[in-house]
Structures are given as C-alpha cells and as structure tokens.
Amino acid sequence: MLRIAQGRVYDPANGIDGEVRDVCLDGGTVVDDLPSDAPRIDARGMVVMPGGVDIHAHIAGPAVNAARKLSPEEHRGDVLDRTAVTRSGTGGTVPSTFATGYRYALLGYTTVVDAATPPLAARHTLAELRDTPIVDAAFLVLMGNNLPLFELIRQGGPVSETVAWWLEATSGYGVKLVNPGGVEMWKHGNRNVTSLDDEVEGLGVTPRRVLEAIATAVDELGLPHPVHVHCNNLGVPGNLRTTLDTLEALQGRRAHLAHLQFHAYGGTPGKRPRSRAPELVEHLDAHPEHSADVGQVMFGPATTMTADAPVSAMLREVTGGKWLNADLEAETGCGIVPLAYRERNYVHALQWGIGLELLLLSRDPWRVVLSTDHPNGGSFLSYPRLIRLLMDREFRNEQIGRVNQKAIRRTVLGDDLDREYTLGEIAIITRAGPARLLGLAAKGHLGVGADADVTVYSEHEDREEMFARPRFVIKGGRVIVEDGELREAPAGDLLRVAADQDEAIERTLRPLFEEHYSVQLANYPVREPWLLERARRIPVGGER
Ligand SMILES: [Zn+2]
C-alpha cells in the first residue's frame, strides 16, 4: 500500500490537469482510497504523472545486440559497476540489457515497446527482454517483407489468420511494417521505391497491396495497436510523396506511422532535402485514425539500426564508417551504422528542425507522440532535453541559433513559433498518448484499476533537469527509484497480445515454410516456458 499525498497530478486520460490530490496504490494497481495510516509519500509541491510509456524504441534482439558489439569504444567510458541492487553493464547509445532497464526506470519510464523484431529472432528478443529489468515490455513483429505472407496476399489467402498465427508463434504484441516490399526489392537491386505500385520481383505484390492487406488484417483482428508503419523511402529527399501516398492508401484504416520526421522531406533524390512537416501535420489533423511518433534527432552520438537494409546501405555510403548488414531469411533485412548528429551539418540540423516542427505544429498531442526512435535519432536519455526544447521557448530559440541556419531556413522554426508545451501536454506525449495508441488500457493513466506505475518529479524551472531526475519512480506499487538512486530492480512483465488463432492455419503455412525457410514449422513457435514466464496477455478488441 502506498499513498502519494497532495502532489500536483497530471493524468490527462482522466481529465486531471495539475489538480492537487492523492494517488493511492495497492496490490500493483491504483485504488480509490486507503486507510489513513497507510504508508505515504509526501508529494506536496511535486508533480505526479503516470509512469512513462515509450511507444517506439530498439532495446532487444539480434540487431540491438549486434549494435552493442559494433561499438565497443562506447563502452569504455560508460561502465556500470555491480552494486547491491544492480548488475554490472555498459551504457553508450546501446546500453546492455540490464543497464537499459535501470536507465529507463531512472528516467521515470516504466513501459517500453521494442519496435522491430524479425519473427525468426523472437526467442532472442524474449531472452533479452527477460534480462531487461523493471520496465514492462512488448515487441512488434516485422511482417512487411515476409515471403510466405506475400504469397498469401498474392493468392488472396487467409491473411488475418496468418497474422494472428505469427503473433501467437512469437509472443509479439503488434505488427510492424518496415519499408513494405522495399527491402525485398532492394535484395533484387532496386534501391528506392518509385511508387507504391512497383511490383516486388517475382512475387506479384506491391507495397500498396502489402499495406492494405496487413492493415486490414490488423483491424479485422481488433489488435489493440494499429499497424505500425515505417514507410518506404526513409531518409530519401522528396519522400513526402511516398508518405502521403501511404497515408492515403491507409485512409479509413487505423495506422501508426513510426518516426515521422524521417519521412517528411521535400526535394529530389540526390539533392538536399527540405522540410515538408507542415503538410504531414495537416494530414494527421484531418485523419483521427492515423497517428505518429516523431523520431526526433538529437545532436550527439547515435546508432542507426533498422530492418530497412537499403537505408543502412545509403547511410554507410554517407559515413564511410563501419557497418553491419544481415539478411533474415524470408522475413526481413537488417543494417546497423553508428552515426553522430552534428549541429553544423545541414541534413542533421534539418532533421532536428523537422522533428520540432512536427511536435510544435501538431494540434493533437494524443496522436503525435514523443520518440527519438532510440537509438536511431539519439538515446532515450535525451528525452529530458527534448522536453525542455518543447516547454521552454527561450532555450529553444537559443538552440535554433546554434545550428546550421541554411537548414533552419528550410523549416518554419525561424518564424519564432511561440508554442510552449504545458506539463499536461508533456504527460500526453510521453505516457497517456502512447498508452492509448498502443491500446494498453492499464498504462499511461492513474484511474482506479490502472497499473501502479507512477513518476514523481520535483518542480524545477529547468525542465531538462526536472525530467532527467525524478524524485520517486514507482513500478507495480513498489518504490524503485528515490532521489536518482535505484532501490530495487524487480523483473518487468512481457506484454503480449491475445489474438484468436486457429491451428488449422498451419495446414496452409506448412508448404510455404517448406519452400522458404531453413527451419521447420514445428520448431518455429516459441514454446520455451522460461521465455514466457512473466507474460501478460492483452486482449483484442478492447476499449480504446
Ligand atoms: Zn525504429
């Protein structure tokens, strides 16, 4: 039992905007009231919010693990010693599993979604999530370049049943499309998708058909989270056209666009990009069925890691540095390129500016939420700085003055946008909004029955300072962090979806497996109990 007494509460999902009140926790959930002698935290003068929810990050699985190995030089300067509470580990842009859990918790985040797992690698992702303490985690399953699925789509086969089977087989939470069809096209030598109607060589499908078929399946199944789309042509100047075509193809269907900033460029391929953020904001404002996370670029070191192998090939040409590229048979590609974003670099400054434009121009904070696509646009550790950029106009203008001005002139940031996010709006873009978009009914709010995940901040004029060091972080009703120190580090839960599925679909899938995979269908589904120990099934078709 715990009473968080008399803090200023920001709980936008329940219409509470800075009201002074108590939040009562019992048995891992929020309750209406407690006996007056229950243990309490005196939160007078402090800000109380639900635990943070990260809708899009890369924290587990083979790409993340390979990225750790690719940059050993990052580890030397950021070593975590073993303590009575914590294991040892390393930090950098891609922290080790344990460090990832600790650092998210220290930041006040209690739920994280890994955005891209190749289904073949689900065991790896599950094993790493099991070693990522404190946070509850879910992962999205890559389905945008899956050859058996392509065949079923081409034949007009049972796509919904197959999507459900794949989620069940992997213990995944939702469906991710990365450059749908485009990774497979690249394997055949075509770098960019010229139109959504380009055909994937020899497979009889197009990006449009893949988008439509899978978005329809996700809606038919009533999955809590809409199809999560990383559009074709990421990073390519002029890709606004592709992004708008994608949104148009998905009109009337629910869809979440990942890291929208990387898909908001005018210009022509091979030339300098420019910002087209305002048009995307306009589209989102007019389409309540669509949402996005921003994928903000933050200056400093980052590691790009993506199932979009062609993007990695392009980035590798730009950086000329080390990289890694891998083919996940029949399912997806994968590429990793370490990168540092620099203020004076035109493209980096433009990307930074576009992310800010999207956040500052957006009229509905529930549908344009915060992410850096960790660690692609920067580490999740930079969220407090991003929050300050949104809340503090003077600080923002000072920062705008430091970066490449040619780039800034290609944005509307030079117009001295006067918007300053309120604490209530920050609570939306960092917890209430992501939880709602994910369909996690027990997360992102403090109403009765919600998970007892709460972050308490000391008021500080410097919002970066304030959000970087919560006063208390409570997970599942337990005080995990106090004054920037971890008090304990219990395991978090795996959040997986409970999609109805029919075993009979395996009769359809078996011949496709025989044709495409090196593994047998019987060995494919994850059944190892130790990987699924702490799994919580989130129902489909729930309230949104
Ligand atoms: Zn991502």
Side-chain angles (χ1 to χ4, degrees):
M1 280 193 286
L2 184 66
R3 178 187 295 273
I4 303 163
Q6 296 297 295
R8 235 166 7 103
V9 177
Y10 291 88
D11 179 14
N14 293 301
I16 296 166
D17 190 32
E19 232 173 83
V20 173
R21 55 194 290 160
D22 292 0
V23 175
C24 296
L25 312 175
D26 190 19
T29 56
V30 177
V31 295
D32 194 34
D33 203 4
L34 287 172
S36 57
D37 60 348
R40 63 169 60 210
I41 283 174
D42 181 358
R44 276 177 297 181
M46 297 180 197
V47 166
V48 178
M49 292 187 184
V53 178
D54 198 337
I55 196 172
H56 187 115
H58 300 270
I59 59 165
V64 177
N65 201 44
R68 292 181 185 118
K69 293 182 193 163
L70 195 60
S71 297
E73 71 281 4
E74 275 200 342
H75 304 162
R76 192 182 301 126
D78 192 3
V79 176
L80 283 78
D81 289 329
R82 188 164 181 139
T83 68
V85 176
T86 61
R87 307 267 196 118
S88 56
T90 53
T93 55
V94 192
S96 57
T97 48
F98 288 96
T100 297
Y102 305 147
R103 288 185 170 181
Y104 262 113
L106 285 163
L107 208 58
Y109 273 72
T110 50
T111 307
V112 183
V113 174
D114 183 87
T117 282
L120 259 173
R123 282 181 181 80
H124 188 154
T125 297
L126 286 162
E128 289 203 2
L129 290 180
R130 196 174 172 275
D131 272 359
T132 305
I134 307 174
V135 293
D136 292 338
F139 65 89
L140 307 179
V141 180
L142 290 162
M143 297 194 196
N145 289 279
N146 179 310
L147 301 187
L149 257 171
F150 281 1
E151 286 210 24
L152 290 175
I153 291 169
R154 180 173 57 85
Q155 299 162 9
V159 176
S160 296
E161 292 84 341
T162 304
V163 167
W165 181 87
W166 238 291
L167 288 170
E168 182 62 24
T170 56
S171 304
Y173 184 73
V175 177
K176 173 81 175 293
L177 301 180
V178 168
N179 189 1
V183 175
E184 190 56 31
M185 288 182 206
W186 177 71
K187 292 179 185 175
H188 294 266
N190 301 318
R191 173 155 292 181
N192 295 337
V193 171
T194 57
S195 118
L196 294 189
D197 299 310
D198 288 359
E199 192 173 309
V200 185
E201 283 81 348
L203 295 169
V205 295
T206 61
R208 184 186 306 283
R209 279 190 77 184
V210 175
L211 282 162
E212 288 176 351
I214 295 186
T216 302
V218 169
D219 274 356
E220 270 175 18
L221 292 167
L223 298 184
H225 183 48
V227 65
H228 194 116
V229 183
H230 156 147
C231 296
N232 304 106
N233 292 333
L234 182 147
V236 178
N239 65 8
L240 176 85
R241 191 65 263 152
T242 313
T243 309
L244 289 176
D245 286 349
T246 302
L247 285 164
E248 203 171 301
L250 293 170
Q251 209 157 305
R253 300 178 183 86
R254 295 183 303 147
H256 178 84
L257 261 52
H259 37 70
L260 192 59
Q261 177 280 124
F262 290 105
H263 304 275
Y265 308 146
T268 45
K271 298 253 168 64
R272 281 185 164 189
R274 52 191 61 195
S275 168
R276 303 290 289 274
E279 279 129 294
L280 281 175
V281 170
E282 216 169 282
H283 173 96
L284 285 171
D285 279 336
H287 291 273
E289 74 275 28
H290 293 160
S291 60
D293 61 88
V294 164
Q296 176 70 36
V297 153
M298 298 297 281
F299 298 115
T303 299
T304 66
M305 60 172 78
T306 178
D308 199 341
V311 166
S312 279
M314 175 181 78
L315 279 171
R316 199 265 167 172
E317 278 169 24
V318 174
T319 62
K322 55 190 173 182
W323 76 318
L324 188 147
N325 194 277
D327 180 33
L328 279 291
E329 55 171 287
E331 292 187 341
T332 180
C334 166
I336 305 167
V337 181
L339 188 72
Y341 294 103
R342 301 186 197 290
E343 291 175 342
R344 295 278 155 208
N345 178 297
Y346 173 87
V347 172
H348 300 170
L350 184 80
Q351 292 177 316
W352 177 83
I354 291 175
L356 291 179
E357 284 184 297
L358 291 170
L359 283 159
L360 293 168
L361 297 174
S362 142
R363 278 185 283 273
D364 185 356
W366 290 93
R367 288 188 296 112
V368 179
V369 300
L370 181 144
S371 77
T372 58
D373 189 11
H374 162 83
N376 282 286
S379 164
F380 64 83
L381 293 173
S382 61
Y383 294 170
R385 167 154 291 219
L386 176 52
I387 289 171
R388 186 174 181 199
L389 285 165
L390 298 176
M391 293 193 76
D392 180 344
R393 177 180 165 206
E394 204 179 295
F395 173 69
R396 182 168 70 231
N397 283 340
E398 201 181 281
Q399 298 296 307
I400 289 172
R402 292 160 55 109
V403 312
N404 185 302
Q405 292 301 302
K406 279 198 180 107
I408 292 303
R409 284 196 288 276
R410 297 295 189 195
T411 71
V412 299
L413 292 178
D415 300 350
D416 187 21
L417 300 178
D418 59 2
R419 180 164 182 189
E420 290 187 329
Y421 269 61
T422 63
L423 283 171
E425 288 174 321
I426 294 297
I428 296 173
I429 64 169
T430 58
R431 37 267 281 169
R436 183 176 287 180
L437 296 175
L438 288 163
L440 289 170
K443 297 293 186 189
H445 75 102
L446 297 173
V448 171
D451 287 353
D453 302 345
V454 189
T455 306
V456 181
Y457 300 98
S458 299
E459 266 285 7
H460 203 301
E461 208 180 318
D462 179 337
R463 300 305 192 180
E464 183 175 350
E465 202 49 42
M466 172 172 163
F467 281 92
R469 249 170 296 283
R471 181 78 171 76
F472 298 99
V473 181
I474 295 136
K475 169 74 194 347
R478 295 152 80 163
V479 179
I480 301 296
V481 173
E482 192 174 344
D483 274 335
E485 298 282 334
L486 276 170
R487 286 195 356 186
E488 55 172 324
D493 289 343
L494 171 74
L495 308 173
R496 61 178 296 191
V497 78
D500 278 339
Q501 59 115 32
D502 182 357
E503 299 265 315
I505 189 69
E506 293 196 2
R507 279 201 295 275
T508 308
L509 295 180
R510 186 157 287 117
L512 296 172
F513 260 76
E514 305 275 309
E515 190 186 336
H516 292 289
Y517 277 100
S518 63
V519 291
Q520 298 275 330
L521 178 69
N523 294 330
Y524 189 91
V526 180
R527 296 208 177 88
E528 293 81 348
W530 69 278
L531 288 173
L532 304 170
E533 259 162 17
R534 297 189 55 96
R536 253 204 264 174
R537 283 181 182 267
I538 308 297
V540 298
E543 211 186 315
R544 277 187 277 280

